């Protein structure tokens, strides 16, 4: 079983839960938000107004400790 397949299986079990304890392991798959510059729009605009073209994305971070 590949790491990706195993990771997908664990995520399927977790569903919307952000934390899972499995024996001595703590698995987390947390939602986070980040802001990134939209480089396509930035190329069309001036660098000093780059903040106007910053968009937020939301994702979940998966880790096993």
């Amino acid at each position: 079983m590949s790491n990706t397949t195993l990771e997908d299986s664990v995520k399927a079990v977790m569903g919307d839960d952000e934390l899972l304890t499995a024996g001595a392991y703590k698995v987390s798959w947390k939602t986070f938000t980040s802001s990134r510059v939209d480089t396509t729009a930035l190329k069309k605009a001036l660098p000093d107004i780059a903040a106007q073209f910053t968009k937020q994305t939301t994702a979940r971070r998966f880790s096993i400790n």
Side-chain angles (χ1 to χ4, degrees), residues 3 13 15-16 19-20 23 25-27 36-37 45 47 50 53 60:
N3 286 346
V13 169
D16 290 334
L19 186 63
L20 171 74
Y25 297 98
K26 291 182 182 176
V27 180
R36 300 178 184 185
V37 175
F53 298 97
R60 293 175 74 182

Side-chain angles (χ1 to χ4, degrees), residues 14-30:
M14 292 179 75
D16 290 334
D17 294 338
E18 292 190 343
L19 186 63
L20 171 74
T21 302
Y25 297 98
K26 291 182 182 176
V27 180
S28 66
W29 187 26
K30 295 186 177 185

Side-chain angles (χ1 to χ4, degrees), residues 37-50 52-53:
V37 175
D38 182 344
T39 57
T40 303
L42 183 59
K43 290 176 184 177
K44 295 178 183 178
L46 300 173
D48 58 335
I49 58 171
Q52 293 178 16
F53 298 97

